Amino acid sequence: MDMDAFFAAIEGRDNPQFRSLPIVVGADPKGGRGRGVVSTANYEARKYGIKSALPISVAWRLCPTAIFLPVDGKRYQRVSGHIMEIIRPFGEKMEQVSIDEAYLQVSGFGHRVPGTSYRLSVDSYRIAEEIAKQIKKRIKKEERLTCSIGIGPNKLVAKIASGHRKPDGLTIVEPRKVQGFLDPKPVEALPGVGPKTKAVLENKWETKTIADLRKRTKEELINTFGKNGAWLWQIARGIDDRPIKEEREIKSVGRQTTFEEDINDSRIIVKAIFKLLEEAFVELRGYNLAGKTLTVIVRYAGFETHSSQESLKENLSEEKAKKLCLKLLLPYLDRGQKIRLVGVRVSGF
Ligand code: TTP
Ligand code: MG
């Protein structure tokens, strides 16, 4: 289950005067000079090409008459909490994967289909469909929001199916339909295929669709992509054995900031990144977590983005993190290029 245009849908619901207009939630556009990014946009605004992570200034250029609203994280979190409460009782297990997305396992009565990783029998798909319809109805009634649901034999297929017919979609992919469902999709529909992998696949083998990807042998993919190659080989065939994990694991805690103006004053940059690190440590302490790995992210004025990371043998104290942060940051300073954004991330718990 994945909510539709989540932050923007909540804003549309709570501000009926905007509902049918393009809504963009994100940084302040400041008349086109704003420097942050778009969190999300409703489907009206998406018609103009506005989407998550686009610079807010570009969004402004694409549709200056859109309603631009700031991110009200607390309110969205409350709605999210209630939606997860609605869903949870419908399944044996639930795994929340982001503020607006969760997997629900409804397969206890299924059996393993020999020679596959599939667990659901055909009848359980009818039950799953009924559950999905009820979930959609409840969310619509209680939160006046729509979601899209995908039903499949594993997380991989369910996730791709959930995005198949957005918004307000319901897509069921039974085991015997999996390959036919996946094959025509572009490779970037697969989790873990970002712009880099996509480019390599296209340049090396003219691979565009999942059907094309299946023409590559496991060896070819491992030779080219390492461990990720084996994963690609597997998911191109719809195979995924990852269990539904009830407790959502926090994998990392990070913060980033875009400067009001591009800067090259090292003192200000260091001060800013230390402040981010301090905030990240407040959050870490809240979860009672400590990590061994620190990542520093630097984006230059031209959007060229770098990250550099290092792991210690022991957990990072705030003090050690600051030292390591400086070490990772220094090579990016005084390169004659102004800096637009810095970020830090602690992981390796
Ligand atoms: P998504 O589910 O990726 O997007 P969405 O719900 O807005 O739209 P869709 O209908 O395509 O699912 O993300 C959920 C929320 O997370 C989104 O509403 C805003 C936030 N978000 C960001 O703040 N930045 C991002 O880059 C992305 C992808 C999401
Ligand atoms: Mg969503």
Side-chain angles (χ1 to χ4, degrees), residues 2-8 38-41 43 46 52-53 98-101 166:
D2 186 312
M3 298 300 295
D4 301 322
F6 189 47
F7 296 1
V38 173
S39 274
T40 194
Y43 282 77
R46 289 182 199 192
S52 295
S98 76
I99 190 164
D100 84 326
E101 193 182 339
K166 254 182 174 295

Side-chain angles (χ1 to χ4, degrees), residues 86 90 130-147 149 168:
I86 292 175
F90 282 99
E130 194 45 46
I131 289 174
K133 283 181 180 160
Q134 288 187 34
I135 287 174
K136 287 170 73 78
K137 219 158 122 189
R138 286 275 306 272
I139 294 178
K140 217 170 260 176
K141 184 159 166 255
E142 292 182 32
E143 286 289 346
R144 285 182 294 127
L145 293 170
T146 63
C147 65
I149 295 182
D168 205 7

Side-chain angles (χ1 to χ4, degrees), residues 164-232:
H164 184 66
R165 245 187 231 112
K166 254 182 174 295
D168 205 7
L170 171 54
T171 302
I172 303 156
V173 185
E174 292 177 19
R176 64 196 162 83
K177 299 274 180 68
V178 167
Q179 204 64 64
F181 171 72
L182 293 178
D183 273 350
K185 294 209 175 281
V187 286
E188 61 266 33
L190 294 168
V193 178
K196 274 188 199 157
T197 307
K198 174 180 150 77
V200 174
L201 286 170
E202 179 146 11
N203 295 336
K204 199 159 176 175
W205 296 302
E206 290 178 28
T207 298
K208 288 203 171 95
T209 63
I210 297 177
D212 296 338
L213 180 58
R214 276 200 301 128
K215 295 189 192 120
R216 308 277 57 96
T217 64
K218 206 178 209 172
E219 286 66 38
E220 282 176 316
L221 292 172
I222 291 174
N223 287 340
T224 307
F225 299 106
K227 231 166 92 185
N228 200 32
W231 169 248
L232 282 178

